[in-house]
Amino acid sequence: MKTLRSQAWFGRQDKNGFLYRSWMKNQGWPHDLFDGRPVIGICNTWSELTPCNTHFREIAEYVKRGVWEAGGFPLEFPVMSLGESVLRPTAMLFRNLASMDVEESIRGNPIDGVVLLMGCDKTTPSLLMGAASCGLPTIGVSGGPMLSGKFQGHDLGSGTGVWQMNEQVRSGEMKLETFFEAESCMHRSKGHCMTMGTASTMASMVESLGMSLPGNAAIPAVDARRNTLAQMTGRRIVQMVKDDLGISRILTREAFENAIRANAAIGGSTNAVIHLIALAGRIGVPLCLDDFERLGSGLPCLVNIQPSGKYLMEDFFYAGGIPAVLRELGEAGALNRDALTVSGRSIWENVVDAPCWNRDVIHQFAEPFKPAAGITVLRGNLAPNGAVIKLSAASPHLLQHRGRAVVFESIEDFHARINDDALDVDENCVLVLKNCGPRGYPGMAEVGNMPLPPKLLRKGITDMVRISDARMSGTAYGTVVLHASPEAAAGGPLALVESGDAVALDVAERAVRVEVDDATLVARRAQWTPPPLPERGWERLYVEHVLQADQGADLDFLVGRSGARVPRDSH
Ligand code: FES
């Protein structure tokens, strides 16, 4: 084994070696731990303000067991943790900030390999992005989904159940007291959202990219096998360091193609589009919206799970999880079988014998849950650089639709008017929401799945075409066009739409358009003024540098990687 980078700190026989070792010894570490064995950083997003990640100290202990067993030296460190359900104005505003924390924490410290503990939505992409910009051997462990929610004798899925019950309350179908009773029933164990929301989607992406050991995505957080996986991961990272298996050998173009296809097959979150493009940008793999259209949109959805179907992650685990899905893709010729994974084996070797125990949960490729249901990319004069729609969660009868725009200039405007029965809207209208993109919100909040007007809910209407520059929760559903790019706040054409304009969605044509002549749009543009910049701090830096959704919404100066070299000493 070659001399490891940690020896540039701990192996020194000089004043700096004293400095680097002596302060560490205040934890009681014996001198022989600094002898050149692999030092494994455990990057922990534990926080009591990130409810989905509160069990991560326990997971870290199991990772450490594995690292010790394999002859490594584990050192756990905290990074910024992003709690999707709590953090305002949106956790996405801080994804890139957390990635900087991760990148600099890894690079600046005597670490030879790193284990990423990821769970709640943004904790996964932020850790992967930061690690990718450093390039060390890296392996992921997800926190695992919560047990299925149970309420009044039925399953109740994270997020999805909230959106459904909230509409029932707004239509008068459900009492507010009943709604609040469900609070304690939806989230009843450790873990992250147990629908195929963004957290489960991104855990599935980690596994499909080959960045975790097989089985990572679906083992429930409280299942003992989650801890076993953590321990095996600790053993594995030590060997990865010895083999010099860096992250860039895993995150290849082939791996990203596998992830895009897997996302289609699981009915995964639209958020994966933004996160995968941002991650690819860090590692230097060319990836764009057209790749999602070309590779994913025509694929069938195989997994019958909320929000596209009825089951939950616990059922998905018992049915076989991601290995069973990847096997289906591999047998159908829709997997780059040779892509290397952190196990040291190819993705195909990992899953070739993966069983499926329940075909109502994981369908066969030849008899899919939904045909041609991947994330689809739309373009047109409303989104020249692209927008996305998740077909598996949309209503087939609305995929070709023309209607009158009802425009909301901001999320505040939307909240102020949507519940007013005097609002001039019917079920054929198209709800348009502006200024909720990366710069506009700022942070591109999950508000694109606009709740419907109560007067239409009372008529039994459950879906309408909605268009915005926002994202939506991975747990959400509906005929919702998202990520319109360029966004309104950047002067995109979405900014020019007015109530009363005709708007057309044609998924077969991959088109989203406002039917207003060019001269009128030019005249409206002359009247448009950009929103003011935030005055200071992170928001200012973010708005000045954030890329548009089709480019992954990373900061322009963070794209790429700097490696792990730090030539200078601290003293
Ligand atoms: Fe954390 Fe859904 S709120 S995963």
Side-chain angles (χ1 to χ4, degrees):
M1 189 171 66
K2 70 176 187 183
T3 302
L4 299 175
R5 78 185 286 271
S6 59
Q7 283 294 289
W9 284 258
F10 295 149
R12 297 272 289 272
Q13 300 306 315
D14 57 9
K15 174 257 309 177
N16 282 317
F18 180 102
L19 289 171
Y20 292 133
R21 289 185 299 269
S22 177
W23 268 259
M24 292 295 286
K25 287 179 176 177
N26 79 345
Q27 299 171 80
W29 301 124
H31 185 76
D32 61 359
L33 291 185
F34 303 98
D35 62 1
R37 68 188 71 196
V39 177
I40 304 300
I42 301 172
C43 182
N44 201 339
T45 47
W46 171 88
S47 167
E48 288 181 340
L49 288 167
T50 304
C52 309
N53 297 17
T54 53
H55 57 304
F56 278 23
R57 284 171 158 174
E58 185 182 354
I59 291 182
E61 290 307 315
Y62 281 91
V63 173
K64 288 178 191 173
R65 278 192 194 182
V67 172
W68 287 124
E69 284 170 342
F73 178 14
L75 292 168
E76 182 184 349
F77 63 97
V79 290
M80 185 180 192
S81 185
L82 307 176
E84 192 68 30
S85 59
V86 176
L87 201 53
R88 292 166 67 169
T90 169
M92 183 62 177
L93 176 61
F94 307 107
R95 182 199 66 179
N96 303 332
L97 179 61
S99 80
M100 293 167 75
D101 180 357
V102 172
E103 177 180 346
E104 303 305 336
S105 295
I106 295 173
R107 182 181 298 118
N109 280 299
I111 291 170
D112 300 310
V114 63
V115 180
L116 308 176
L117 305 192
M118 309 172 282
C120 197
D121 296 13
K122 306 302 175 292
T123 58
T124 300
S126 59
L127 267 59
L128 288 172
M129 289 161 68
S133 288
C134 280
L136 293 180
T138 304
I139 190 170
V141 187
S142 299
M146 289 180 258
L147 297 176
S148 300
K150 296 284 180 185
F151 183 53
Q152 296 182 334
H154 300 287
D155 281 354
L156 186 61
S158 300
T160 308
V162 180
W163 319 128
Q164 288 167 341
M165 291 188 296
N166 186 46
E167 297 293 62
Q168 289 168 355
V169 169
R170 295 172 74 247
S171 70
E173 208 181 312
M174 179 182 275
K175 288 201 175 84
L176 203 54
E177 303 90 84
T178 312
F179 182 59
F180 290 140
E181 273 174 34
E183 263 183 30
S184 311
C185 309
M186 182 174 281
H187 301 126
R188 62 193 182 90
S189 82
K190 305 289 187 201
H192 58 66
C193 288
M194 84 311 264
T195 43
M196 190 53 82
T198 304
S200 293
T201 297
M202 291 310 296
S204 301
M205 296 299 91
V206 167
E207 190 170 337
S208 307
L209 286 164
M211 282 299 302
S212 70
L213 295 179
N216 171 68
I219 304 172
V222 296
D223 192 301
R225 287 165 283 186
R226 175 64 55 187
N227 294 336
T228 308
L229 183 90
Q231 187 163 341
M232 301 306 286
T233 300
R235 292 182 189 172
R236 180 64 200 150
I237 186 66
V238 175
Q239 190 60 46
M240 286 174 67
V241 169
K242 291 177 179 170
D243 295 343
D244 199 18
L245 180 52
I247 190 170
S248 62
R249 289 177 58 197
I250 308 296
L251 291 181
T252 59
R253 168 80 193 181
E254 290 70 27
F256 281 97
E257 290 183 353
N258 286 342
I260 289 172
R261 288 172 172 138
N263 193 45
I266 61 175
S269 167
T270 45
N271 287 318
V273 177
I274 293 185
H275 298 324
L276 288 176
I277 290 176
L279 178 60
R282 293 296 185 95
I283 205 78
V285 168
L287 200 73
C288 64
L289 273 184
D290 290 339
D291 291 315
F292 288 82
E293 174 60 36
R294 187 172 59 80
L295 296 165
S297 71
L299 283 181
C301 176
L302 305 182
V303 183
N304 179 3
I305 188 167
Q306 294 183 33
S308 302
K310 71 174 181 182
Y311 291 104
L312 293 170
M313 286 299 287
E314 198 180 332
D315 309 302
F316 183 46
F317 172 56
Y318 302 142
I322 289 294
V325 175
L326 294 178
R327 178 178 175 180
E328 286 297 323
L329 290 176
E331 289 178 348
L335 190 76
N336 295 318
R337 293 183 176 195
D338 295 335
L340 181 64
T341 74
V342 291
S343 72
R345 301 186 301 170
S346 73
I347 193 124
W348 185 243
E349 288 172 319
N350 285 345
V351 305
V352 62
D353 295 319
C356 175
W357 303 108
N358 187 337
R359 283 294 177 198
D360 197 36
V361 179
I362 303 173
H363 287 231
Q364 288 178 300
F365 197 92
E367 294 175 45
F369 174 51
K370 294 183 181 182
I375 289 169
T376 293
V377 178
L378 308 167
R379 292 182 200 272
N381 69 353
L382 257 185
N385 293 346
V388 299
I389 185 169
K390 179 174 169 176
L391 295 188
S392 65
S395 300
H397 73 281
L398 289 174
L399 298 182
Q400 188 168 32
H401 183 83
R402 186 173 177 276
R404 172 170 58 89
V406 177
V407 174
F408 303 94
E409 295 295 327
S410 66
I411 194 65
E412 289 76 20
D413 182 30
F414 174 81
H415 288 313
R417 295 196 287 134
I418 194 64
N419 292 329
D420 185 350
D421 281 352
L423 181 68
D424 183 13
V425 62
D426 62 47
E427 59 268 40
N428 295 315
C429 289
V430 174
L431 304 181
V432 177
L433 176 61
K434 302 179 184 176
N435 295 306
C436 292
R439 286 196 218 171
Y441 202 76
M444 205 182 178
E446 293 184 337
V447 294
N449 55 317
M450 291 165 258
L452 303 190
K455 66 178 178 183
L456 298 183
L457 291 170
R458 290 195 293 273
K459 274 176 70 179
I461 305 300
T462 55
D463 196 8
M464 291 172 70
V465 175
R466 288 158 273 180
I467 299 175
S468 73
D469 48 15
R471 297 176 303 119
M472 75 173 178
S473 166
T475 65
Y477 52 86
T479 310
V480 187
V481 177
L482 301 156
H483 309 183
S485 176
E487 64 176 305
L494 191 71
L496 310 179
V497 184
E498 294 182 358
S499 286
D501 291 347
V503 170
L505 169 67
D506 189 335
V507 170
E509 291 288 320
R510 303 293 192 255
V512 59
R513 296 192 193 94
V514 57
E515 296 179 346
V516 173
D517 61 76
D518 289 348
T520 304
L521 291 177
V522 169
R524 288 180 188 175
R525 179 168 296 288
Q527 300 297 314
W528 180 80
T529 51
L533 284 172
E535 277 187 12
R536 62 169 298 280
W538 170 250
E539 274 193 28
R540 174 70 176 237
L541 186 70
Y542 179 88
V543 170
E544 285 184 335
H545 291 279
V546 70
L547 299 169
Q548 288 294 285
D550 61 297
Q551 296 171 290
D554 202 357
L555 301 191
D556 51 13
F557 60 84
L558 289 175
V559 175
R561 48 186 164 149
S562 306
R565 190 162 172 270
V566 189
R568 288 183 172 168
D569 288 306
S570 58
H571 292 85

